[in-house]
């Protein structure tokens, strides 16, 4: 017997090379002619993993529109398949819903508030990039221990009699003295806090400038400085 494969959407994928029926296979032959712009979809009342899925009298082939390769537009601009547009989505298969078109509408200029949001996103991305450079080279698991190391180092800096069990364990494994480990960690902690407080201040200052900008040109001129210093 000949079997016909379908994908997760029930779309015809071709004839299976196997002699046994697999999950998603259909025993009913698809339409012999499939017009351009359409695909054959097996529509069934059964789930794909049902052993009877694809058997005769459990479903039927339907020809549906295939817009998966088309450039689609909402009234607000380009549309990406699967995205929610006011609670509605489209996967590219079937008749286009009324809120989608293959033709773009007139260009809609973003509002000043939208421009502010876009520019702040760019500033935030610059901030994240700058912070990531501070932690580059450290494994993720080690970074998870930094709050513990920081708390012990700062507590020890205020009272040298305070116990630092986590730092002590690292020192032993590293082969250095406990005080050397504490000093090294404290130096790193203070350096990291100084650098991050500067970067955070820069980001917040740029955000304030964006909020205060009253023109498109002024908003777009506010960018994250390459050096991380205040513009």
């Amino acid at each position: 017997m000949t079997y016909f494969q379908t994908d997760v959407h029930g779309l015809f994928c071709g004839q299976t090379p196997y002699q046994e029926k697999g999950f998603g296979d259909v025993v009913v032959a698809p339409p012999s002619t499939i017009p351009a712009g359409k695909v054959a979809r097996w529509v069934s009342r059964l789930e794909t993993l049902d052993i009877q899925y694809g058997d005769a009298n459990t479903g039927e082939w339907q020809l549906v529109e295939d817009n998966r390769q088309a450039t689609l537009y909402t009234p607000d601009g380009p549309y990406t398949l699967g995205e929610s547009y006011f609670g509605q989505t489209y996967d590219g298969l079937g008749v286009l819903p009324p809120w989608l078109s293959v033709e773009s509408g007139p260009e809609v200029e973003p509002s000043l508030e939208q421009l502010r949001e876009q520019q702040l996103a760019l500033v935030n991305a610059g901030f994240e990039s700058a912070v990531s450079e501070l932690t580059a080279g450290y494994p993720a698991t080690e970074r998870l221990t930094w709050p513990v190391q920081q708390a012990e180092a700062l507590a020890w800096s205020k009272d040298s009699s305070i116990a630092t069990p986590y730092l002590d364990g690292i020192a032993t494994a590293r082969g250095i003295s406990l005080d050397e480990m504490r000093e090294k960690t404290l130096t790193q902690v203070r350096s990291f806090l100084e650098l991050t407080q500067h970067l955070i201040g820069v980001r917040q200052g740029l955000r304030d400038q964006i909020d205060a900008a009253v023109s498109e040109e002024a908003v777009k001129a506010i960018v994250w400085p390459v050096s991380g210093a205040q513009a």
Side-chain angles (χ1 to χ4, degrees):
M1 179 178 289
T2 302
Y3 302 107
F4 304 92
Q5 293 178 319
T6 63
D7 64 11
V8 293
H9 302 291
L11 303 181
F12 171 57
C13 297
Q15 185 174 318
T16 177
Y18 305 109
Q19 300 300 313
E20 296 183 357
K21 179 173 177 286
F23 288 112
D25 288 351
V26 177
V27 301
V28 181
S32 57
T33 302
I34 300 176
K38 293 195 174 185
V39 287
R41 170 187 264 174
W42 179 254
V43 179
S44 174
R45 56 183 172 78
L46 302 178
E47 298 292 334
T48 306
L49 296 180
D50 192 303
I51 196 170
Q52 293 182 314
Y53 178 90
D55 287 353
N57 302 317
T58 64
E60 64 176 5
W61 289 106
Q62 294 181 2
L63 294 177
V64 298
E65 291 186 25
D66 184 7
N67 293 298
R68 291 174 295 173
Q69 303 304 317
T71 301
L72 303 176
Y73 302 89
T74 71
D76 298 318
Y79 177 73
T80 300
L81 295 181
E83 278 189 350
S84 175
Y85 181 74
F86 293 99
Q88 304 172 93
T89 61
Y90 179 64
D91 62 4
L93 298 169
V95 177
L96 279 180
W99 49 273
L100 278 178
S101 172
V102 294
E103 297 181 359
S104 62
E107 287 284 334
V108 178
E109 291 295 325
S111 66
L112 188 60
E113 187 57 38
Q114 289 173 323
L115 286 174
R116 289 190 180 114
E117 292 177 359
Q118 294 170 8
Q119 206 65 18
L120 180 57
L122 293 176
V123 166
N124 289 345
F127 167 80
E128 292 291 355
S129 177
V131 172
S132 68
E133 291 180 7
L134 301 180
T135 61
Y138 294 93
T141 302
E142 182 174 343
R143 293 200 299 269
L144 292 175
T145 72
W146 284 359
V148 177
Q149 295 187 50
Q150 174 179 309
E152 289 190 355
L154 291 176
W156 175 77
S157 71
K158 296 177 180 178
D159 182 354
S160 59
S161 67
I162 291 290
T164 57
Y166 200 87
L167 293 178
D168 295 353
I170 295 177
T172 300
R174 189 170 173 176
I176 60 177
S177 70
L178 304 186
D179 281 347
E180 184 180 2
M181 182 66 210
R182 294 162 182 160
E183 288 287 358
K184 284 180 177 292
T185 304
L186 183 60
T187 298
Q188 289 287 83
V189 166
R190 285 173 171 167
S191 175
F192 184 79
L193 290 176
E194 180 181 350
L195 290 169
T196 53
Q197 73 180 15
H198 171 74
L199 294 174
I200 290 171
V202 171
R203 192 204 73 82
Q204 292 181 356
L206 294 174
R207 179 198 60 196
D208 294 341
Q209 292 178 38
I210 290 172
D211 288 342
V214 294
S215 70
E216 176 181 343
E217 293 74 16
V219 170
K220 290 184 175 180
I222 303 168
V223 297
W224 181 262
V226 175
S227 65
Q230 179 65 56

